[in-house]
Amino acid sequence: MREGRPGDDDLRRGARIVEAYLRYNHVSISELPRVVEIVYSTIASLSLATPKAKSPRPSVSLKDVTREGIACFECGRRVQLLKRHIRDHHNLTAEEYRRRWGLSVLYPMVTPQLSAVRSAVAKKAILERLSDDLHLNSEGDIVTEKAGA
């Protein structure tokens, strides 16, 4: 966005203001450009004057994800389940936490070590379930029902 020019949100806001003004006020065709100019220049000056909110500074370094724990940017504590920690101790959802700290949606909420353990448990459970459902016949082909059942 160039300085002095309103952005898309400002243009939409300005259009709604002009529309509302014209609905309740009689304006000649020759005066219309001046009304639009006044509205947009006012919005642009307000947009440029509004200070951007500074994002908070993390209480830990950005090398926060290790196999043993993920550091919470709010308090610096290392935890295995960041999602539970920020919910219980900081009253934040994962989305709010990521937005507040400018993190990607791919930012982990679980340590790599715990994630690997969970993955191994899930794979084992799936294989056990599949081995219960699938059986081999005398030729070694997979069948879905046990022979003689």
Side-chain angles (χ1 to χ4, degrees):
M1 179 173 82
R2 285 185 246 153
E3 275 192 42
R5 295 195 60 201
D8 288 341
D9 288 340
D10 294 336
L11 291 173
R12 278 192 279 279
R13 194 173 296 122
R16 286 195 307 264
I17 291 170
V18 169
E19 178 186 6
Y21 181 80
L22 293 176
R23 191 174 299 138
Y24 298 104
N25 295 283
H26 176 72
V27 176
S28 69
I29 297 288
S30 61
E31 295 172 336
L32 184 58
R34 181 70 183 137
V35 170
V36 171
E37 181 184 342
I38 291 170
V39 169
Y40 283 108
S41 63
T42 303
I43 289 174
S45 67
L46 292 174
S47 295
L48 293 174
T50 305
K52 300 289 182 195
K54 290 184 179 179
S55 60
R57 295 180 55 98
S59 59
V60 293
S61 74
L62 292 178
K63 294 185 179 186
D64 61 315
V65 179
T66 65
R67 282 193 67 74
E68 295 77 34
I70 300 175
C72 173
F73 287 154
E74 296 289 323
C75 64
R77 183 175 172 192
R78 287 205 173 270
V79 294
Q80 285 198 344
L81 294 166
L82 182 60
K83 187 174 181 177
R84 181 188 304 163
H85 170 75
I86 61 175
R87 182 193 65 218
D88 294 348
H89 295 276
H90 305 294
N91 199 28
L92 292 170
T93 65
E95 293 78 22
E96 292 168 338
Y97 180 83
R98 286 181 175 123
R99 192 176 324 113
R100 177 176 180 144
W101 294 104
L103 302 171
S104 161
V105 294
L106 300 176
Y107 188 82
M109 292 285 140
V110 176
T111 62
Q113 183 178 12
L114 183 57
S115 181
V117 168
R118 285 179 165 180
S119 177
V121 168
K123 286 176 185 175
K124 182 179 177 190
I126 289 171
L127 289 175
E128 287 174 355
R129 194 171 354 145
L130 285 175
S131 68
D132 289 345
D133 293 342
L134 300 176
H135 305 284
L136 299 178
N137 64 14
S138 58
E139 288 86 37
D141 297 325
I142 296 176
V143 293
T144 57
E145 295 180 17
K146 290 184 181 178

